Amino acid sequence: MIPFGEMTTQFQTIEPEIRRAIDEVLASGWFILGKQVQAFEEEFAAYVGAKHAVGVGSGTEALHLALRAVGVGAGDEVVTVANTCVPTVSGIAFSGATPVLVDCHPSTLTMDPNRLHDAITTRTKAIVPVHLYGHPCDMAPILAVASRRGIPVIEDCAQAHGAEYRGARCGAFGAAAAFSFYPSKNLGAYGDGGAVVTNDPALAQTVRMLRNYGEERRYHHTIQGFNSRLDEMQAAILRVKLKHLDAWNEARCNRAAAYTRQLADVPLVLPAEASWAKAIYHLFVVRCDRRDALQEHLKRREIGTLIHYPIPIHLQKAYAHLGRSTGDYPVAETACQQVLSLPMYPELPDASITAIAQAIREFFG
Ligand SMILES: *Cc1c(COP(=O)(O)O)cnc(C)c1O
C-alpha cells in the first residue's frame, strides 16, 4: 500500500530535536508571544529574504490580517483565481471584501496575468496571486498591472515555502505575503500556524496589533483586533523544521524528476516548470482526460491520490452569491476535471515511484 501522504517517517528523523524544542517551551512556562515566536519570525523572514515576518494563527488568518493591514474592508473587491484552495477566499471574505475571480493559465494553472485587467474595477483594493502546488505565478506582469493601478499585491504562499521566481524566493514580491504552516505544507507545524511576511515595517506593526486584540502596548488598544497568534510550541517546532526545509524541498524536486522520467512515455500532462520558475512541488499534479477512472485504477492497486481541487470556487455553494456559473472560467473548470495529485513527500521511497509509474502505465495499456 502507498499512502498519498505520510508524516511519521519525517518525525522519526527529527524526533530528538523536536522533543528538545518542546521541552524547552514547557520548561520556560511561557506559551504565547515569547522568545520562540520572535526567533522564528526573524529566521523565517531571513529565509524568505524579507525584512519582517509576523506569526499568526493560520494561513487563512495571515491572508485576512494582511488584507486588513493594507486597508481592505467591507465593500472592497479582492481579485484572486477561480482554482485555489478555498481558504484563499475564506481569508478574503473574512476581511469583509468580495472575492473577484480570474481564470488561470493553461500551462501553470496559476493566475493568468492577461485576465487580470478585465477583473479590476475602481473597488479593487488588493490582488492575491496563489503560487499553486509550489509553482510560482508569473509575478512580473501581475506586479506591472498592480502598480499601474496602485493596487497592493498579497501573495498566497501557503504552498510555496522556498519556491523561486526569477531567482528570488516567493513572499517578498508584493506588499505582503501569507504563509500557512498547516501540517502537510512544505513547512508544517504540528497544529495550525501561519505568518505574514513583508518588507514594510508599518504593515508588520499593524499585523502585530491585529493578531493581538489591537494592542499597541500592554492595555493600550489603538485598533480593533483579533486573537490570531502563532504559539510558542508551534514556533519552536517550526524553528527545528525550517533548518531542514531546503533539503526537504530538494528531496521533493528529486522525486518530481523521477516521476517525470518514468512517466515520459505516458499520455498524461505532467507538471510543467516555467523557465523563470523554481517549483518546490508541494503537490505533484498530473492531468488526464480519464482522471476519475485513473484514480479508481490506482485505488484498486492501493495507491492513494487526491484531487486539488475538484470544484472551482465559483461553483462552490458557499460562493454562489458571487453570481458566476459554469463556463465563466473555462481553464480552471477543465483543470478541476483533469487534475490528479500523486503521492509526494520528501521521504517517498524510489520503489513507490516506480510502482506508481508502473500502475499508471498499466492503466494506459
Ligand atoms: C493551506 C492553504 C491555505 C490556508 O492555510 P490554513 O493554514 O489551513 O488556514 C490558503 N491558501 C492555500 C493555497 C492553501 O493551500
Side-chain angles (χ1 to χ4, degrees):
M1 193 197 142
I2 303 172
F4 174 74
E6 197 273 301
M7 308 261 200
T8 50
T9 308
Q10 181 173 98
F11 172 60
Q12 283 157 12
T13 68
I14 54 172
E15 183 168 355
E17 292 173 87
I18 292 287
R19 292 203 183 277
R20 224 178 298 127
I22 290 174
D23 277 347
E24 200 182 311
V25 174
L26 292 173
S28 78
W30 193 277
F31 301 102
I32 299 291
L33 296 184
K35 284 189 196 125
Q36 297 293 338
V37 169
Q38 196 185 335
F40 174 70
E41 287 175 344
E42 285 165 14
E43 290 158 10
F44 191 64
Y47 178 84
V48 173
K51 292 210 178 74
H52 310 275
V54 184
V56 298
S58 69
T60 308
E61 277 294 324
L63 279 165
H64 167 216
L65 300 188
L67 288 166
R68 293 229 179 214
V70 297
V72 171
D76 295 336
E77 291 175 354
V78 174
V79 177
T80 191
V81 276
N83 63 320
T84 182
C85 195
V86 162
T88 306
V89 276
S90 309
I92 294 169
F94 237 139
S95 75
T98 302
V100 172
L101 306 174
V102 293
D103 211 344
C104 57
H105 190 276
S107 165
T108 60
L109 302 185
T110 58
M111 180 178 274
D112 187 342
N114 298 315
R115 313 275 170 171
L116 202 47
H117 186 81
D118 292 341
I120 291 173
T121 73
T122 53
R123 298 200 297 162
T124 308
K125 290 290 152 51
I127 298 169
V128 179
V130 182
H131 305 302
L132 199 69
Y133 309 149
H135 187 291
C137 301
D138 191 1
M139 291 306 294
I142 295 171
L143 291 165
V145 173
S147 77
R148 206 154 53 234
R149 310 289 289 260
I151 301 167
V153 170
I154 310 286
E155 295 169 76
D156 183 338
C157 289
Q159 304 188 357
H161 318 71
E164 292 177 18
Y165 174 73
R166 298 190 187 279
R169 287 195 171 135
C170 294
F173 291 114
F179 284 86
S180 164
F181 306 121
Y182 182 85
S184 64
K185 308 289 184 177
N186 288 41
L187 179 61
Y190 293 135
D192 275 312
V196 175
V197 167
T198 180
N199 279 321
D200 178 345
L203 195 154
Q205 177 57 18
T206 303
V207 176
R208 281 182 206 287
M209 292 194 286
L210 286 171
R211 74 173 168 181
N212 197 36
Y213 329 119
E215 195 175 75
E216 189 177 347
R217 60 194 163 89
R218 201 121 198 229
Y219 306 126
H220 292 260
H221 301 263
T222 42
I223 54 175
Q224 289 182 11
F226 306 88
N227 172 350
S228 177
R229 303 168 296 219
L230 183 67
D231 66 67
E232 287 285 288
M233 201 78 88
Q234 299 304 338
I237 290 162
L238 287 165
R239 290 182 71 196
V240 170
K241 296 183 87 179
L242 180 58
K243 296 195 189 97
H244 299 274
L245 177 58
D246 282 339
W248 288 335
N249 280 345
E250 197 56 37
R252 286 174 184 266
C253 291
N254 292 338
R255 277 146 187 84
Y259 269 129
T260 302
R261 265 195 316 274
Q262 297 189 41
L263 293 171
D265 56 341
V266 165
L268 278 180
V269 178
L270 299 175
E273 216 164 310
S275 59
W276 35 259
K278 182 175 175 355
I280 43 90
Y281 294 94
H282 172 59
L283 297 167
F284 189 85
V285 178
V286 300
R287 283 180 268 172
C288 173
D289 290 335
R290 291 186 291 143
R291 188 266 315 277
D292 292 345
L294 175 59
Q295 185 176 40
E296 189 53 39
H297 169 85
L298 293 174
K299 189 176 165 198
R300 278 198 303 275
R301 273 152 192 73
E302 297 195 295
I303 295 167
T305 59
L306 289 174
I307 296 169
H308 300 91
Y309 299 90
I311 306 170
I313 301 303
H314 62 293
L315 302 181
Q316 294 283 356
K317 194 171 165 193
Y319 296 97
H321 65 276
L322 299 180
R324 299 293 166 163
S325 51
T326 304
D328 285 346
Y329 305 100
V331 182
E333 288 165 24
T334 304
C336 288
Q337 286 162 19
Q338 296 180 334
V339 291
L340 185 67
S341 304
L342 303 181
M344 171 53 80
Y345 46 95
E347 301 76 21
L348 180 65
D350 287 341
S352 298
I353 297 174
T354 306
I356 294 161
Q358 176 61 31
I360 292 173
R361 272 200 298 276
E362 216 178 89
F363 174 78
F364 289 106

